[in-house]
Amino acid sequence: MAELVKTMKVHQIMVSCGKTWTTDAGYHETVGQVLSYRNKAALCVEMEGVGLFTIAKYRECAASAIYIISDVFGDEEWLLGCSGEAIPVC
């Protein structure tokens, strides 16, 4: 993973490393779940990572994932990022 992060930084791509929350029910998160995972320092919620990491574990190989944040759910509003506008860093 360190090499991946280094490469992204060389290309001046902002990167954050940390925990993610995986769910199979996109857009069905409750406020309680969002707050709980936010308190656990999850950086994003996603749906595909668990498959990648399960297979990597089974095959006994390394895996990394890069998530591009499209929507930001803040305290007061939900910013939809698919409009082509830049997502502010929260």
Coordinates of all heavy atoms in Angstrom, one line a residue:
M1 N 0.8 -1.2 0.0 CA 0.0 0.0 0.0 C 0.9 1.2 0.0 O 0.5 2.2 -0.6 CB -1.0 0.0 1.2 CG -1.9 1.2 1.1 SD -3.1 1.3 2.4 CE -2.2 1.6 3.9
A2 N 2.0 1.2 0.7 CA 2.9 2.4 0.7 C 3.3 2.9 -0.6 O 3.4 4.1 -0.9 CB 4.1 2.1 1.6
E3 N 3.6 1.9 -1.5 CA 4.0 2.2 -2.9 C 2.8 2.9 -3.6 O 3.1 3.9 -4.4 CB 4.5 1.0 -3.6 CG 5.2 1.3 -4.9 CD 5.9 0.1 -5.5 OE1 6.4 -0.7 -4.7 OE2 5.9 0.0 -6.7
L4 N 1.6 2.4 -3.4 CA 0.5 3.0 -4.1 C 0.3 4.5 -3.6 O 0.1 5.4 -4.4 CB -0.8 2.2 -3.8 CG -2.1 2.6 -4.4 CD1 -2.0 2.6 -5.9 CD2 -3.2 1.7 -3.9
V5 N 0.4 4.7 -2.3 CA 0.2 6.0 -1.8 C 1.3 6.9 -2.3 O 1.0 8.1 -2.7 CB 0.2 6.0 -0.2 CG1 0.3 7.4 0.3 CG2 -1.0 5.3 0.3
K6 N 2.5 6.5 -2.3 CA 3.7 7.2 -2.8 C 3.4 7.7 -4.3 O 3.6 8.8 -4.7 CB 4.9 6.4 -2.7 CG 6.2 7.2 -3.2 CD 7.4 6.3 -3.1 CE 8.6 6.9 -3.8 NZ 9.7 6.0 -3.8
T7 N 3.0 6.7 -5.1 CA 2.7 7.0 -6.5 C 1.6 8.1 -6.7 O 1.7 9.0 -7.5 CB 2.3 5.7 -7.3 OG1 3.3 4.8 -7.2 CG2 2.0 6.0 -8.7
M8 N 0.6 8.0 -5.9 CA -0.5 9.0 -6.0 C 0.0 10.4 -5.5 O -0.3 11.4 -6.2 CB -1.7 8.5 -5.1 CG -2.3 7.3 -5.7 SD -3.8 6.8 -4.9 CE -5.0 8.0 -5.4
K9 N 0.8 10.4 -4.5 CA 1.3 11.7 -4.1 C 2.3 12.3 -5.1 O 2.3 13.5 -5.3 CB 2.0 11.5 -2.7 CG 1.0 11.3 -1.6 CD 1.6 11.3 -0.2 CE 0.6 11.1 0.8 NZ 1.1 11.1 2.2
V10 N 3.1 11.5 -5.7 CA 4.0 12.0 -6.8 C 3.2 12.7 -7.9 O 3.6 13.7 -8.5 CB 4.8 10.8 -7.4 CG1 5.4 11.2 -8.7 CG2 5.9 10.4 -6.4
H11 N 2.0 12.1 -8.2 CA 1.1 12.7 -9.2 C 0.2 13.7 -8.6 O -0.8 14.1 -9.3 CB 0.3 11.6 -9.9 CG 1.2 10.7 -10.7 ND1 1.7 11.1 -12.0 CD2 1.8 9.5 -10.5 CE1 2.5 10.2 -12.5 NE2 2.5 9.2 -11.6
Q12 N 0.4 14.2 -7.4 CA -0.3 15.2 -6.7 C -1.8 14.9 -6.6 O -2.7 15.7 -6.7 CB -0.1 16.6 -7.4 CG 1.3 17.0 -7.3 CD 1.6 18.3 -8.0 OE1 0.8 18.8 -8.8 NE2 2.7 18.9 -7.7
I13 N -2.1 13.6 -6.3 CA -3.4 13.2 -6.0 C -3.6 13.1 -4.5 O -2.9 12.4 -3.9 CB -3.7 11.8 -6.7 CG1 -3.5 11.9 -8.2 CG2 -5.1 11.3 -6.4 CD1 -3.6 10.6 -9.0
M14 N -4.6 13.8 -4.0 CA -4.9 13.8 -2.6 C -5.3 12.4 -2.2 O -6.1 11.8 -2.8 CB -6.0 14.8 -2.2 CG -6.1 14.9 -0.7 SD -7.4 16.1 -0.3 CE -8.9 15.1 -0.5
V15 N -4.7 11.9 -1.1 CA -5.0 10.5 -0.7 C -5.2 10.5 0.9 O -4.5 11.3 1.6 CB -3.9 9.5 -1.1 CG1 -2.6 9.8 -0.4 CG2 -4.4 8.1 -0.9
S16 N -6.2 9.8 1.3 CA -6.3 9.5 2.8 C -6.4 8.0 3.0 O -7.1 7.3 2.2 CB -7.6 10.2 3.3 OG -7.6 11.6 3.1
C17 N -5.8 7.5 4.0 CA -5.8 6.1 4.3 C -6.5 5.9 5.6 O -6.4 6.7 6.5 CB -4.4 5.6 4.4 SG -3.4 5.7 2.9
G18 N -7.4 4.8 5.6 CA -8.1 4.6 6.8 C -9.2 3.5 6.6 O -9.2 2.8 5.7
K19 N -10.1 3.5 7.6 CA -11.1 2.5 7.6 C -12.2 2.8 6.6 O -12.5 4.0 6.4 CB -11.7 2.4 9.0 CG -10.8 2.0 10.1 CD -11.4 2.1 11.4 CE -10.4 1.8 12.6 NZ -11.1 1.9 13.9
T20 N -12.9 1.8 6.1 CA -14.1 1.9 5.3 C -15.2 1.1 5.9 O -15.0 0.2 6.7 CB -13.8 1.5 3.8 OG1 -13.5 0.1 3.8 CG2 -12.7 2.3 3.2
W21 N -16.4 1.4 5.5 CA -17.6 0.7 6.0 C -18.2 0.0 4.7 O -18.5 0.7 3.7 CB -18.5 1.7 6.6 CG -19.9 1.2 6.8 CD1 -20.4 -0.1 6.9 CD2 -21.1 2.0 7.0 NE1 -21.7 -0.1 7.1 CE2 -22.2 1.2 7.2 CE3 -21.3 3.4 7.0 CZ2 -23.5 1.7 7.3 CZ3 -22.6 3.9 7.1 CH2 -23.7 3.0 7.3
T22 N -18.3 -1.3 4.7 CA -18.8 -2.0 3.6 C -20.2 -2.4 3.9 O -20.5 -3.0 4.9 CB -17.9 -3.3 3.3 OG1 -16.6 -2.8 3.0 CG2 -18.5 -4.0 2.1
T23 N -21.1 -2.2 2.9 CA -22.5 -2.6 3.0 C -23.0 -3.2 1.7 O -22.4 -2.8 0.6 CB -23.4 -1.5 3.5 OG1 -24.7 -1.9 3.6 CG2 -23.4 -0.3 2.5
D24 N -24.0 -4.0 1.7 CA -24.6 -4.5 0.4 C -25.9 -3.8 0.2 O -26.7 -4.2 -0.7 CB -24.8 -6.0 0.5 CG -25.7 -6.5 1.5 OD1 -26.2 -5.6 2.4 OD2 -26.0 -7.7 1.5
A25 N -26.2 -2.7 0.9 CA -27.5 -2.0 0.7 C -27.2 -0.5 0.6 O -27.5 0.3 1.5 CB -28.4 -2.3 1.9
G26 N -26.6 -0.2 -0.5 CA -26.3 1.2 -0.8 C -27.5 2.2 -0.6 O -28.6 1.8 -1.0
Y27 N -27.3 3.3 0.0 CA -28.3 4.3 0.2 C -29.4 3.9 1.2 O -30.4 4.5 1.2 CB -28.9 4.9 -1.1 CG -27.8 5.5 -2.0 CD1 -27.4 4.8 -3.1 CD2 -27.2 6.7 -1.7 CE1 -26.4 5.3 -4.0 CE2 -26.3 7.3 -2.5 CZ -25.9 6.6 -3.6 OH -24.9 7.1 -4.4
H28 N -29.1 2.8 2.0 CA -30.1 2.4 3.0 C -29.5 2.6 4.4 O -30.0 2.0 5.3 CB -30.4 0.9 2.8 CG -31.2 0.6 1.5 ND1 -32.6 0.5 1.6 CD2 -30.8 0.5 0.2 CE1 -33.0 0.3 0.3 NE2 -32.0 0.3 -0.5
E29 N -28.5 3.4 4.5 CA -27.8 3.6 5.8 C -28.8 4.4 6.7 O -29.4 5.4 6.2 CB -26.5 4.4 5.6 CG -25.5 3.7 4.8 CD -25.6 3.9 3.3 OE1 -26.5 4.8 2.9 OE2 -24.9 3.3 2.5
T30 N -28.8 4.1 7.9 CA -29.6 4.9 8.9 C -28.8 6.0 9.5 O -27.5 5.9 9.4 CB -30.2 4.0 10.0 OG1 -29.1 3.5 10.8 CG2 -31.0 2.8 9.4
V31 N -29.4 7.0 10.0 CA -28.6 8.0 10.7 C -27.8 7.4 11.8 O -26.6 7.8 12.0 CB -29.5 9.1 11.2 CG1 -28.8 10.1 12.1 CG2 -30.2 9.9 10.1
G32 N -28.3 6.5 12.5 CA -27.6 5.8 13.6 C -26.4 5.1 13.1 O -25.3 5.2 13.7
Q33 N -26.5 4.4 12.0 CA -25.4 3.7 11.4 C -24.3 4.7 11.0 O -23.1 4.5 11.2 CB -25.8 2.8 10.3 CG -26.6 1.6 10.6 CD -27.1 0.9 9.4 OE1 -27.6 1.5 8.5 NE2 -27.1 -0.4 9.4
V34 N -24.7 5.7 10.3 CA -23.7 6.7 9.8 C -23.0 7.3 11.0 O -21.7 7.4 11.0 CB -24.4 7.8 9.0 CG1 -23.5 9.0 8.7 CG2 -25.0 7.3 7.7
L35 N -23.7 7.7 12.0 CA -23.0 8.3 13.2 C -22.1 7.3 13.9 O -21.0 7.6 14.3 CB -24.1 8.8 14.2 CG -24.9 10.0 13.7 CD1 -26.0 10.4 14.7 CD2 -24.0 11.2 13.3
S36 N -22.5 6.0 14.0 CA -21.7 5.0 14.6 C -20.4 4.8 13.8 O -19.3 4.8 14.4 CB -22.5 3.7 14.7 OG -21.7 2.6 15.2
Y37 N -20.5 4.6 12.5 CA -19.3 4.4 11.7 C -18.4 5.7 11.7 O -17.2 5.6 11.6 CB -19.6 3.9 10.3 CG -19.9 2.4 10.4 CD1 -21.2 2.0 10.4 CD2 -18.9 1.5 10.5 CE1 -21.5 0.6 10.5 CE2 -19.2 0.1 10.5 CZ -20.5 -0.3 10.6 OH -20.8 -1.6 10.6
R38 N -19.0 6.9 11.7 CA -18.3 8.1 11.8 C -17.5 8.1 13.1 O -16.3 8.5 13.1 CB -19.2 9.3 11.7 CG -18.5 10.6 11.7 CD -19.4 11.8 11.7 NE -20.1 11.9 10.4 CZ -21.1 12.8 10.2 NH1 -21.5 13.6 11.2 NH2 -21.7 12.8 9.1
N39 N -18.1 7.7 14.2 CA -17.4 7.7 15.4 C -16.3 6.7 15.5 O -15.3 6.8 16.2 CB -18.4 7.4 16.6 CG -19.3 8.6 16.9 OD1 -19.0 9.7 16.6 ND2 -20.4 8.3 17.5
K40 N -16.4 5.7 14.6 CA -15.3 4.7 14.5 C -14.2 5.1 13.4 O -13.4 4.3 13.1 CB -15.9 3.3 14.1 CG -16.8 2.7 15.1 CD -17.5 1.5 14.6 CE -18.4 1.0 15.7 NZ -19.3 -0.1 15.2
A41 N -14.3 6.3 12.9 CA -13.4 6.9 12.0 C -13.4 6.3 10.6 O -12.4 6.3 9.9 CB -12.0 6.9 12.6
A42 N -14.6 5.8 10.2 CA -14.7 5.3 8.8 C -14.6 6.5 7.9 O -15.3 7.5 8.1 CB -16.0 4.5 8.6
L43 N -13.9 6.4 6.8 CA -13.7 7.4 5.8 C -14.8 7.4 4.8 O -15.1 8.5 4.2 CB -12.3 7.4 5.2 CG -11.1 7.5 6.1 CD1 -9.8 7.3 5.3 CD2 -11.2 8.9 6.8
C44 N -15.3 6.2 4.5 CA -16.4 6.1 3.4 C -17.2 4.9 3.6 O -16.8 4.0 4.4 CB -15.7 6.2 2.0 SG -14.8 4.7 1.6
V45 N -18.3 4.8 2.9 CA -19.1 3.6 2.8 C -19.0 3.1 1.4 O -19.1 4.0 0.5 CB -20.5 3.8 3.3 CG1 -21.2 4.9 2.5 CG2 -21.3 2.5 3.3
E46 N -18.8 1.8 1.2 CA -18.7 1.3 -0.2 C -19.3 -0.1 -0.3 O -19.7 -0.6 0.7 CB -17.3 1.3 -0.6 CG -16.3 0.6 0.3 CD -16.3 -0.9 0.0 OE1 -16.5 -1.3 -1.1 OE2 -16.0 -1.6 1.0
M47 N -19.4 -0.6 -1.5 CA -20.1 -1.9 -1.7 C -19.3 -3.0 -2.3 O -19.7 -4.2 -2.3 CB -21.3 -1.7 -2.5 CG -22.4 -0.8 -1.9 SD -23.8 -0.5 -3.0 CE -24.5 -2.2 -3.2
E48 N -18.1 -2.7 -2.8 CA -17.3 -3.7 -3.5 C -16.1 -4.3 -2.8 O -15.6 -5.4 -3.1 CB -16.9 -3.2 -4.9 CG -18.0 -3.0 -5.9 CD -18.8 -1.7 -5.6 OE1 -18.3 -0.8 -4.9 OE2 -19.9 -1.6 -6.1
G49 N -15.6 -3.6 -1.9 CA -14.3 -3.9 -1.3 C -14.3 -5.3 -0.6 O -13.3 -6.0 -0.7
V50 N -15.4 -5.7 0.0 CA -15.4 -6.9 0.7 C -15.1 -8.1 -0.2 O -14.4 -9.1 0.2 CB -16.7 -7.2 1.5 CG1 -17.9 -7.4 0.6 CG2 -16.6 -8.3 2.5
G51 N -15.6 -8.1 -1.4 CA -15.3 -9.1 -2.4 C -13.8 -9.2 -2.7 O -13.2 -10.3 -2.8
L52 N -13.2 -8.0 -3.0 CA -11.8 -8.0 -3.3 C -11.0 -8.5 -2.2 O -10.1 -9.4 -2.4 CB -11.4 -6.5 -3.6 CG -10.0 -6.2 -3.8 CD1 -9.4 -6.8 -5.1 CD2 -9.7 -4.7 -3.7
F53 N -11.2 -8.1 -1.0 CA -10.4 -8.5 0.1 C -10.6 -9.9 0.5 O -9.7 -10.6 1.0 CB -10.5 -7.5 1.3 CG -10.0 -6.2 1.0 CD1 -10.8 -5.1 0.8 CD2 -8.6 -6.0 0.8 CE1 -10.3 -3.8 0.5 CE2 -8.1 -4.7 0.4 CZ -8.9 -3.6 0.3
T54 N -11.8 -10.4 0.3 CA -12.1 -11.8 0.6 C -11.3 -12.8 -0.3 O -10.7 -13.7 0.2 CB -13.6 -12.1 0.5 OG1 -14.3 -11.3 1.5 CG2 -13.9 -13.6 0.8
I55 N -11.3 -12.4 -1.6 CA -10.6 -13.2 -2.5 C -9.1 -13.1 -2.3 O -8.4 -14.1 -2.3 CB -11.0 -12.9 -4.0 CG1 -12.4 -13.3 -4.2 CG2 -10.0 -13.4 -5.0 CD1 -13.0 -12.9 -5.5
A56 N -8.6 -11.9 -2.0 CA -7.2 -11.8 -1.7 C -6.8 -12.6 -0.5 O -5.7 -13.3 -0.5 CB -6.8 -10.3 -1.4
K57 N -7.6 -12.6 0.6 CA -7.3 -13.5 1.7 C -7.3 -14.9 1.4 O -6.4 -15.7 1.8 CB -8.3 -13.2 2.8 CG -8.1 -13.9 4.1 CD -9.0 -13.6 5.2 CE -8.8 -14.3 6.5 NZ -9.7 -14.0 7.6
Y58 N -8.3 -15.4 0.6 CA -8.4 -16.8 0.2 C -7.1 -17.1 -0.7 O -6.6 -18.2 -0.5 CB -9.6 -17.0 -0.6 CG -9.8 -18.4 -1.2 CD1 -10.2 -19.4 -0.4 CD2 -9.5 -18.6 -2.5 CE1 -10.3 -20.7 -0.9 CE2 -9.6 -19.9 -3.1 CZ -10.0 -20.9 -2.2 OH -10.1 -22.2 -2.8
R59 N -6.7 -16.3 -1.6 CA -5.6 -16.5 -2.4 C -4.2 -16.2 -1.7 O -3.2 -16.4 -2.3 CB -5.7 -15.7 -3.7 CG -6.9 -16.0 -4.6 CD -6.6 -17.2 -5.3 NE -7.8 -17.5 -6.2 CZ -7.9 -18.5 -6.9 NH1 -7.0 -19.5 -6.8 NH2 -9.0 -18.7 -7.7
E60 N -4.3 -15.7 -0.5 CA -3.1 -15.4 0.3 C -2.2 -14.4 -0.5 O -1.0 -14.6 -0.6 CB -2.4 -16.6 0.7 CG -3.2 -17.5 1.6 CD -2.4 -18.8 2.0 OE1 -1.3 -19.0 1.5 OE2 -3.0 -19.5 2.8
C61 N -2.9 -13.3 -1.0 CA -2.1 -12.3 -1.7 C -2.6 -10.9 -1.2 O -3.6 -10.8 -0.5 CB -2.3 -12.4 -3.2 SG -4.0 -12.1 -3.7
A62 N -1.8 -9.9 -1.4 CA -2.1 -8.5 -1.0 C -3.1 -7.9 -1.9 O -3.3 -8.2 -3.1 CB -0.8 -7.7 -1.0
A63 N -3.9 -7.0 -1.3 CA -4.9 -6.2 -2.1 C -5.0 -4.8 -1.5 O -4.8 -4.6 -0.3 CB -6.2 -6.9 -2.0
S64 N -5.2 -3.9 -2.4 CA -5.5 -2.5 -2.0 C -6.7 -2.0 -2.8 O -7.0 -2.5 -3.8 CB -4.3 -1.6 -2.3 OG -3.2 -1.9 -1.5
A65 N -7.3 -1.0 -2.3 CA -8.5 -0.4 -2.9 C -8.3 1.1 -2.9 O -7.8 1.7 -1.9 CB -9.8 -0.8 -2.3
I66 N -8.7 1.7 -4.0 CA -8.8 3.2 -4.1 C -10.3 3.5 -4.3 O -10.9 3.0 -5.2 CB -8.0 3.7 -5.3 CG1 -6.5 3.3 -5.1 CG2 -8.2 5.2 -5.4 CD1 -5.7 3.7 -6.3
Y67 N -10.8 4.4 -3.4 CA -12.2 4.8 -3.5 C -12.2 6.3 -3.9 O -11.5 7.1 -3.2 CB -12.9 4.6 -2.2 CG -13.0 3.1 -1.8 CD1 -12.2 2.7 -0.7 CD2 -13.7 2.2 -2.4 CE1 -12.2 1.3 -0.4 CE2 -13.8 0.9 -2.1 CZ -13.0 0.4 -1.0 OH -13.0 -0.9 -0.7
I68 N -13.0 6.6 -4.9 CA -13.2 8.0 -5.2 C -14.5 8.4 -4.6 O -15.6 7.8 -4.9 CB -13.2 8.2 -6.7 CG1 -11.9 7.8 -7.3 CG2 -13.6 9.6 -7.1 CD1 -11.9 7.6 -8.8
I69 N -14.5 9.4 -3.7 CA -15.7 9.8 -3.0 C -16.5 10.7 -4.0 O -16.1 11.7 -4.5 CB -15.3 10.7 -1.8 CG1 -14.3 9.9 -0.9 CG2 -16.5 11.1 -1.0 CD1 -14.8 8.6 -0.4
S70 N -17.8 10.3 -4.1 CA -18.7 11.0 -5.0 C -19.7 11.8 -4.2 O -20.0 12.9 -4.6 CB -19.3 10.1 -6.0 OG -20.1 9.1 -5.3
D71 N -20.2 11.3 -3.2 CA -21.2 12.0 -2.3 C -20.6 12.2 -1.0 O -19.9 11.3 -0.5 CB -22.5 11.2 -2.2 CG -23.2 10.9 -3.5 OD1 -22.7 11.3 -4.5 OD2 -24.2 10.2 -3.5
V72 N -20.9 13.3 -0.4 CA -20.5 13.6 1.0 C -21.7 13.9 1.9 O -22.5 14.8 1.6 CB -19.5 14.8 1.1 CG1 -19.2 15.2 2.5 CG2 -18.3 14.6 0.2
F73 N -21.9 13.1 2.9 CA -23.0 13.2 3.8 C -22.5 13.9 5.1 O -21.8 13.3 5.9 CB -23.6 11.9 4.2 CG -24.8 11.9 5.1 CD1 -26.0 12.5 4.6 CD2 -24.8 11.4 6.3 CE1 -27.1 12.6 5.4 CE2 -25.9 11.5 7.1 CZ -27.0 12.0 6.7
G74 N -22.8 15.2 5.2 CA -22.3 16.0 6.3 C -23.3 16.1 7.4 O -24.4 15.5 7.4
D75 N -23.0 16.9 8.4 CA -23.9 17.1 9.5 C -25.2 17.8 9.1 O -26.3 17.5 9.6 CB -23.3 17.9 10.6 CG -22.1 17.2 11.3 OD1 -22.2 15.9 11.4 OD2 -21.2 17.8 11.8
E76 N -25.1 18.7 8.2 CA -26.3 19.5 7.8 C -26.8 19.2 6.4 O -28.0 19.6 6.1 CB -26.0 21.0 7.9 CG -25.6 21.4 9.3 CD -26.7 21.3 10.3 OE1 -27.9 21.5 9.9 OE2 -26.5 20.9 11.5
E77 N -26.0 18.6 5.5 CA -26.5 18.4 4.2 C -25.8 17.2 3.5 O -24.8 16.7 4.0 CB -26.2 19.7 3.3 CG -24.7 20.0 3.3 CD -24.5 21.4 2.5 OE1 -25.3 21.8 1.7 OE2 -23.4 22.0 2.8
W78 N -26.3 16.8 2.4 CA -25.8 15.8 1.6 C -25.4 16.4 0.2 O -26.2 16.9 -0.5 CB -26.9 14.7 1.3 CG -26.5 13.5 0.6 CD1 -25.3 13.2 0.1 CD2 -27.3 12.3 0.4 NE1 -25.3 11.9 -0.4 CE2 -26.5 11.4 -0.3 CE3 -28.6 12.0 0.7 CZ2 -27.0 10.1 -0.7 CZ3 -29.1 10.8 0.3 CH2 -28.3 9.9 -0.4
L79 N -24.1 16.3 0.0 CA -23.5 16.9 -1.3 C -23.4 15.8 -2.3 O -22.6 14.9 -2.1 CB -22.2 17.6 -1.0 CG -22.1 18.7 0.0 CD1 -20.7 19.1 0.3 CD2 -23.0 19.8 -0.4
L80 N -24.1 15.9 -3.4 CA -24.0 14.9 -4.4 C -22.9 15.2 -5.4 O -22.8 16.3 -5.9 CB -25.4 14.8 -5.2 CG -26.6 14.5 -4.4 CD1 -27.8 14.5 -5.2 CD2 -26.4 13.1 -3.8
G81 N -22.0 14.3 -5.5 CA -20.8 14.6 -6.3 C -20.8 14.2 -7.7 O -19.8 14.4 -8.4
C82 N -21.8 13.6 -8.2 CA -21.8 13.1 -9.6 C -22.2 14.2 -10.6 O -22.3 13.9 -11.8 CB -22.8 12.0 -9.7 SG -22.4 10.5 -8.8
S83 N -22.3 15.4 -10.2 CA -22.6 16.5 -11.1 C -21.4 17.1 -11.8 O -21.5 18.0 -12.6 CB -23.3 17.6 -10.3 OG -22.4 18.2 -9.4
G84 N -20.2 16.6 -11.5 CA -19.0 17.1 -12.1 C -18.3 18.2 -11.3 O -17.3 18.7 -11.7
E85 N -18.9 18.6 -10.2 CA -18.4 19.7 -9.4 C -17.4 19.0 -8.4 O -17.5 17.9 -8.1 CB -19.5 20.3 -8.6 CG -20.7 20.8 -9.4 CD -20.7 22.2 -9.6 OE1 -20.1 23.0 -8.8 OE2 -21.3 22.7 -10.6
A86 N -16.4 19.8 -8.0 CA -15.4 19.3 -7.1 C -16.0 19.1 -5.7 O -16.8 19.9 -5.3 CB -14.2 20.3 -7.0
I87 N -15.7 18.0 -5.1 CA -16.2 17.7 -3.7 C -15.2 18.4 -2.7 O -14.0 18.2 -2.8 CB -16.2 16.2 -3.5 CG1 -17.2 15.5 -4.4 CG2 -16.5 15.9 -2.0 CD1 -18.6 15.8 -4.1
P88 N -15.8 19.2 -1.8 CA -14.9 19.8 -0.8 C -14.4 18.8 0.1 O -15.0 17.8 0.4 CB -15.8 20.8 -0.1 CG -17.2 20.3 -0.4 CD -17.2 19.5 -1.7
V89 N -13.2 19.0 0.6 CA -12.6 18.1 1.6 C -13.2 18.4 3.0 O -13.3 19.6 3.4 CB -11.0 18.3 1.7 CG1 -10.5 17.5 2.8 CG2 -10.4 18.1 0.4
C90 N -13.8 17.4 3.6 CA -14.5 17.6 4.9 C -13.6 17.2 6.0 O -12.7 16.4 5.9 CB -15.7 16.7 4.9 SG -16.9 17.1 3.6

